[in-house]
Amino acid sequence: MTVVLSLILGLAAALGAGALSGIRIGKDALGTELAAYMGGLYGIISGSVAVVLTVLVLSLT
């Protein structure tokens, strides 16, 4: 149960952090909504690998 909860919370955090950084970086060039969508997409793509590997390593130790 802890592993599943860790995966869900980690992926949600990656999505949120990506959206916030997308807004901060690209809102002037793309607009706020599109920047949030693109940041969320890139956040979940890059963050999911880190979250899955971290949870896997911690669960094996």
Side-chain angles (χ1 to χ4, degrees):
M1 181 67 183
T2 304
V3 173
V4 174
L5 187 61
S6 299
L7 286 171
I8 292 170
L9 290 176
L11 293 176
L15 178 66
L20 288 176
S21 67
I23 290 172
R24 184 170 181 187
I25 294 170
K27 73 177 177 182
D28 293 333
L30 301 172
T32 305
E33 190 173 351
L34 182 60
Y37 287 142
M38 290 181 68
L41 173 68
Y42 291 124
I44 199 72
I45 288 172
S46 63
S48 62
V49 174
V51 168
V52 169
L53 288 177
T54 301
V55 169
L56 181 66
V57 167
L58 289 176
S59 66
L60 293 176
T61 59

